[in-house]
Amino acid sequence: MAAPSGNTCGLMERSIRDRVPPLLTDLYQFTMAYAYWRTGRHQEPAVFELFFRDNPFSGGFSLFAGLHDCLLFLRSFRFTDEDVEFLRSVMPPATDPAFFQFLRDLDCSGVTLRSVPEGTVVFARVPLMEVAGPLAVVQLLETSLLCLVNYASLVCSNAARFRLAAGPRRKLLEMGLRRAQGPDGGLTASRYTHIGGFDLTSNVQAGFLFGIPVAGTMAHSYVTSFTSLEEVWPQTLVAVNGDPDPVDFISLTKGWLSQVCKLLGAEPGKIREGELASFLSYAIAYPQNFLPVIDSYSVGCSGLLNFCAVALALCELGYRPVGIRLDSGDLCRQSVDVRRVFRLCSKHFSIPAFDSLIIVGTNNITEQSMAELNKKENEIDAVGVGTHLVTCTQQPSLGCVYKLVEVRGNPRMKISEDPEKSTVPGRKAVYRLVDTEGHPFLDLVCLAVEPPPEAGVSLSCYPLGCDNSCVSVVPAQVTCLRQEVFTKGKVTHPLCSAAETRAKVQSSLQTLHPRHKRLQEPDSYTVALSEKLHKLITEIRKGSSNTSNFLLAN
């Protein structure tokens, strides 16, 4: 799919303005911004970084997503008169009125964003985004940027894990809108599960906004709404060959049903007439898109027989039925039974189209059950996933944080009693080191002023979580992981469509060594600090320890 058209970009940007206005943030962002403004510090140059502390789902990697929405958010960031009046009503009465005029004039023209490309495989503790600009405005951006990145990256990573579990052959359908955390959660899930590896979505609005292929046919309610063949209307269907005389489709199907029952040794008395009526009605409405759910009653005694009869009738008239959906019971076993019947019909009735019928499975699919499909005999061609995909039931949040690392050119560091919550100070560059086989093996975090590492040249670094142990590595290739994507109020890097970012995900995942992609007990990927950055942290910690009690000491 090509880059989004101007109309598509306009729709998405309007969607972001509507869903993520500047007021979609925490109140303390405004109280801090006011305190900075009140003391004259609001224009001081500052740098924040966005990162997460642990790979999600006990996995070995994550996928960075949400950048596209962040860029649209930054480009349209402006407070309206209505916004400012509301802030005036909720902030303390003593707030200087001039502050609200400051907010009214505020935009992101002074903000620079450097970021890992969207769709890139990323790892814990690597700074994904660097947001630089006037202190007050980059502080105000915190919650909104976290909101846009946290869930998008989490659900995209979840989708990638489902794709790895499913393997490359099966089509994957996202169908979680009804189970998502609200309309925006559903819309975000549809976009980023597609980017993460899903082929289709049931979400029509996602198809409209993002160009994702949409799919869907019928639910059990449609099947159970019919009770009699008398409810089928119209009862005729015109053949594909252009014969103007319509065919009595009910009679044609009844004839095929009799032959199918004879072939399979089935009992006609157990066949549900209402189910057959629903299949007939739907096939007449959509003769080129016939894919019913066949387990509303009994697959073997009714649903499969009714499907075969209607599908054979469609084939006789020149149409190509699509297949069936299974939504309950042992999907693997049932799919094998269904495929056996399809092949038997194809051979016995000389209908080759039955060899290409697809079987769709949907039944509260989890990552584990998806993986088990590859271990059991089955004939499932496509899988629909809802609840466990969009709600990320294994882990509800990625836990991205947004931390200050520099003010007025001076490094800033949060020193916590919990070492995991300490931050890495200073403005940085991030490099991905690649081995001779083309696999990334280490992400190196350096100070921005340091020269980049060179391919084929040994370097020393300090892996995070290794008790200050220094190691030497020699990269075969070096890639600068972040790039400038927003400056002076403008997006400076091309916006990609969902399909293009999806391709980026697959390309990035393919470079990753299989031991890091394992869904269970993957090997840890190494993230390391340069010698200079490690030295800076040591000096700041030492200085903090020596001066932390200076007020009491004096």
Side-chain angles (χ1 to χ4, degrees):
M1 186 178 294
S5 66
N7 183 53
T8 302
C9 281
L11 288 171
M12 288 189 285
E13 188 152 14
R14 187 166 70 245
S15 174
I16 288 294
R17 281 200 305 269
D18 292 343
R19 294 184 292 123
V20 196
L23 291 188
L24 190 69
T25 188
D26 298 306
L27 181 61
Y28 79 171
Q29 308 293 4
F30 291 105
T31 60
M32 285 189 287
Y34 175 69
Y36 286 137
W37 178 86
R38 190 74 175 81
T39 56
R41 298 190 58 204
H42 57 291
Q43 295 290 357
E44 289 181 1
V47 180
F48 284 80
E49 286 179 345
L50 185 148
F51 62 93
F52 60 92
R53 295 189 174 103
D54 295 294
N55 292 319
F57 312 113
S58 300
F61 70 91
S62 182
L63 288 168
F64 175 56
L67 175 62
H68 180 280
D69 293 345
C70 289
L71 293 174
L72 296 182
F73 167 72
L74 294 176
R75 188 162 70 182
S76 64
F77 184 88
R78 290 296 297 265
F79 291 96
T80 65
D81 289 334
E82 188 177 13
D83 293 337
V84 171
E85 286 308 305
F86 177 76
L87 286 170
R88 196 190 302 271
S89 73
V90 298
M91 291 190 70
T95 304
D96 189 329
F99 174 68
F100 299 107
Q101 185 57 49
F102 163 73
L103 290 178
R104 187 64 183 89
D105 297 335
L106 203 61
D107 60 22
C108 286
S109 58
V111 173
T112 299
L113 176 63
R114 295 172 65 235
S115 175
V116 172
E118 186 160 27
T120 302
V121 169
V122 292
F123 306 97
R125 308 295 296 188
V126 172
L128 307 177
M129 292 170 55
E130 176 195 271
V131 187
L135 180 55
V137 68
V138 291
Q139 180 70 70
L140 285 170
L141 298 175
E142 175 183 5
T143 303
S144 301
L145 293 179
L146 286 171
C147 181
L148 289 169
V149 170
N150 256 314
Y151 179 61
S153 297
L154 183 73
V155 77
C156 187
S157 303
N158 199 28
R161 291 177 62 88
F162 270 91
R163 168 50 72 192
L164 289 170
R169 181 182 67 85
R170 288 190 179 87
K171 292 286 186 181
L172 295 180
L173 165 66
E174 176 272 316
M175 46 189 290
L177 179 59
R178 66 186 63 195
R179 304 289 173 80
Q181 288 93 338
D184 186 60
L187 194 60
T188 302
S190 295
R191 175 176 174 83
Y192 290 104
T193 55
H194 179 64
I195 286 172
F198 273 62
D199 302 285
L200 307 157
T201 180
S202 66
N203 187 340
V204 179
Q205 179 71 355
F208 173 65
L209 285 176
F210 312 131
I212 302 171
V214 295
T217 54
M218 69 168 67
H220 294 290
S221 57
Y222 182 83
V223 177
T224 58
S225 72
F226 288 82
T227 58
S228 167
L229 293 177
E230 296 177 358
E231 296 168 303
V232 179
W233 189 263
Q235 299 182 345
T236 60
L237 187 61
V238 176
V240 172
N241 63 13
D243 189 335
D245 295 326
V247 175
D248 183 340
F249 196 60
I250 294 180
S251 295
L252 182 62
T253 300
K254 282 182 175 180
W256 278 112
L257 183 59
S258 176
Q259 293 186 63
V260 169
C261 288
K262 183 178 180 181
L263 173 66
L264 301 179
E267 300 179 37
K270 292 185 177 181
I271 293 174
R272 293 275 186 158
E273 182 179 340
E275 182 179 56
L276 178 59
S278 71
F279 289 4
L280 283 163
S281 182
Y282 200 89
I284 291 169
Y286 296 103
Q288 301 283 22
N289 192 40
F290 183 55
L291 194 157
V293 58
I294 66 169
D295 65 325
S296 297
Y297 302 107
S298 168
V299 173
C301 294
S302 182
L304 181 56
L305 302 169
N306 283 328
F307 168 79
C308 288
V310 175
L312 287 164
L314 286 172
C315 289
E316 183 175 339
L317 297 182
Y319 297 100
R320 290 187 67 88
V322 178
I324 59 95
R325 177 163 73 96
L326 297 167
D327 190 49
S328 62
D330 185 336
L331 299 183
C332 291
R333 178 187 57 77
Q334 289 185 100
S335 70
V336 171
D337 293 341
V338 168
R339 184 70 70 197
R340 179 184 60 80
V341 170
F342 287 170
R343 289 170 177 155
L344 189 59
C345 287
S346 173
K347 181 179 181 180
H348 184 80
F349 299 119
S350 298
I351 307 290
F354 263 59
D355 288 326
S356 59
L357 292 172
I358 69 169
I359 299 173
V360 181
T362 58
N363 183 21
N364 203 31
I365 302 293
T366 65
E367 179 188 303
Q368 181 180 0
S369 61
M370 184 78 80
E372 287 175 354
L373 288 180
N374 292 328
K375 300 176 183 178
K376 295 181 179 179
E377 181 186 7
N378 73 90
E379 293 286 343
I380 297 173
D381 302 291
V383 180
V385 191
T387 305
H388 298 288
L389 175 66
V390 304
T391 65
C392 300
T393 47
Q394 288 191 64
Q395 180 175 324
S397 175
L398 180 57
C400 280
V401 294
Y402 184 88
K403 297 300 180 182
L404 180 70
V405 296
E406 183 180 282
V407 177
R408 298 187 306 276
N410 297 314
R412 291 290 182 266
M413 178 180 180
K414 175 186 176 185
I415 302 174
S416 174
E417 292 182 0
D418 180 354
E420 286 293 314
K421 290 202 169 184
S422 295
T423 60
V424 179
R427 199 164 195 171
K428 306 176 192 70
V430 185
Y431 301 96
R432 180 153 290 174
L433 310 188
V434 179
D435 64 22
T436 55
E437 296 180 348
H439 299 303
F441 69 92
L442 184 146
D443 283 3
L444 183 68
V445 183
C446 308
L447 290 170
V449 296
E450 293 186 64
E454 298 180 33
V457 178
S458 177
L459 64 89
S460 297
C461 58
Y462 289 80
L464 292 173
C466 290
D467 299 323
N468 295 323
S469 299
C470 183
V471 300
S472 294
V473 296
V474 180
Q477 301 174 50
V478 177
T479 302
C480 182
L481 205 53
R482 295 193 311 201
Q483 55 195 352
E484 189 171 292
V485 293
F486 185 90
T487 187
K488 296 181 179 178
K490 296 184 182 297
V491 176
T492 56
H493 195 270
L495 292 170
C496 295
S497 69
E500 288 168 329
T501 308
R502 184 174 185 269
K504 169 69 176 176
V505 165
Q506 295 308 312
S507 175
S508 188
L509 279 171
Q510 285 173 9
T511 67
L512 197 59
H513 196 283
R515 66 174 180 267
H516 299 306
K517 287 190 289 188
R518 286 199 301 260
L519 298 181
Q520 303 296 325
E521 299 181 352
D523 286 0
S524 296
Y525 184 87
T526 303
V527 176
L529 306 180
S530 69
E531 287 187 293
K532 286 188 177 181
L533 184 51
H534 182 265
K535 182 179 179 182
L536 174 63
I537 293 173
T538 302
E539 290 174 349
I540 291 176
R541 286 186 180 277
K542 183 178 179 181
S544 173
S545 176
N546 290 340
T547 63
S548 60
N549 292 318
F550 74 95
L551 282 176
L552 293 177
N554 293 283

